[in-house]
Every structure is written in C-alpha cells, then in structure tokens.
Amino acid sequence: MKKIAVFASGSGSNFQAIIDVVESGDLDADISLLVCDKPGAYAIERAKTAKIPSFIFSAKDYPSKEHYEEKILAQLKSYGVEFIVLAGYMRLIGPKLLAEYKGRIVNVHPSLLPAFPGKDAIGQALAAQVKWSGITIHFVDEGMDTGPIIVQERVRIEENETRESLQQKIQKSEHKLYPSILQMLLTQGDVINDTKARVN
Ligand code: GAR
C-alpha cells in the first residue's frame, strides 16, 4: 500500500473525502501525514480525528521556501511518503520538493485549466461570465497549475449562479473524482512511472 501525504491550507473537505474512501476501503493508500501551512486550518482537526499525524508550519517563520521545504522533505522522508496529494494547498511547490517527488505530486484545481489558474479560480470564472467551468486533476510541475493534465470534469454555470452555489457544485465533483483518480494512480504503478519519465 502506498504511503501518501496530503497537503492542505484550508477547510480540508477534499482531505476528508480522501480519508473517507481510505476508511471505506475504496482507496488503497496509507495517509501517513498531513502537511499544512495554516496553523488554524480546519484540515488539522480532521487529521486529529482520523489519527493522522500532521506537520504544521508558517512560511513567515522561515527565511525562504527552500528552508521550509527542507523541513517538509525531512518529515516526508521520516514517514516514508511516496506520493503527494495537494488538496487546497495554496502555495507553489518549489525545486526542493520537486527534485524528490516530481511525477509523484498531483493537484486538484477548481477550473478547466489552462483557464483560470492561480488564486480564486471560481471568482475568475464568474467574472468572465463563462457558461462552463469545472475541475482539473493534474501532475505538478514548477509552474502555476501548468503540469500535465490527468482528467477534467465540466460543471455548468447557471444564469443565477452564486459563488457559494458554484463552489458547492465544484467541490461535489472534486470529492468524487479526486479519490477515484488517486486509486487509479496509486494502484497502477506504471502510470506513475511513465508520467515521471515524461514530466522529468
Ligand atoms: C478546492 O476546491 C481546490 O480545488 C482548491 O481549493 C479548494 C480547497 O477546498 N484549490 C485551489 O484553488 C488550488 N489552486 P478544501 O480545503 O475544502 O478541500
């Protein structure tokens, strides 16, 4: 069973969806660690409840990304983490972590990339008045939401759509699709090895 770490910055509803499918036996993974860059985040409570260790840090306590990523890397190694799942982690992954894990880091983003990368993808889609948005699950490279796309799912934006209603639809889609794609990636080793070769 692969050892994974989940990285989150906020409420952690995707983290919870992953915990739930591991507990129900539909995802063959061992969630070995939560990495969280926001000391007050609700994701930390979810880790406690599920008895998952967490590494919590504040970027401002370190002189640079390289310094805090070095600490993260040491934690990942000490737990034997093989695969990283970003679930609402609102920081760019730097060269330090990529050097060790490139091809083995995935992210979920709340838009149909390459449209609306970066922060507030939902607000960006509403401001652009598009009729469809959605979610993208992709491998992580050094860019901002630019890595190879694994899968996308469309979500319709209605006339009277609000930020809350769109976020709810998008998260519903994420909570279902992300765990099932993780199951595919973690149990079909070749997919990871092939992609690692391509991404590197
Ligand atoms: C998710 O909707 C995820 O797609 C988004 O943050 C949310 C986290 O929610 N990620 C990004 O915007 C990354 N660029 P959660 O903490 O409830 O899982």
Side-chain angles (χ1 to χ4, degrees), residues 10-14 88 90 108-110 118 171 174:
S11 122
S13 70
N14 278 284
M90 304 308 271
V108 63
H109 183 79
Q171 291 215 327
E174 291 180 341

Side-chain angles (χ1 to χ4, degrees), residues 8 10-15 46 87-90 107-110 118-122 145 170-171 174-175:
S11 122
S13 70
N14 278 284
F15 176 40
R46 298 184 194 269
Y89 181 67
M90 304 308 271
N107 182 40
V108 63
H109 183 79
K119 290 214 169 107
D120 193 20
I122 291 177
D145 302 319
I170 283 196
Q171 291 215 327
E174 291 180 341
H175 298 164

Side-chain angles (χ1 to χ4, degrees), residues 71-122:
K71 288 269 187 239
I72 295 175
L73 197 54
Q75 291 286 323
L76 296 172
K77 289 203 165 155
S78 77
Y79 284 95
V81 169
E82 299 159 273
F83 195 90
I84 296 175
V85 176
L86 306 186
Y89 181 67
M90 304 308 271
R91 290 184 178 277
L92 265 187
I93 298 294
K96 193 114 217 152
L97 283 178
L98 278 172
E100 288 284 336
Y101 284 96
K102 199 168 182 187
R104 294 183 291 142
I105 313 178
V106 288
N107 182 40
V108 63
H109 183 79
S111 76
L112 295 174
L113 291 171
F116 314 130
K119 290 214 169 107
D120 193 20
I122 291 177

Side-chain angles (χ1 to χ4, degrees), residues 9 13 32 40 68 90 108 121 151 155:
S9 303
S13 70
S32 306
Y68 67 71
M90 304 308 271
V108 63
V151 69
V155 171

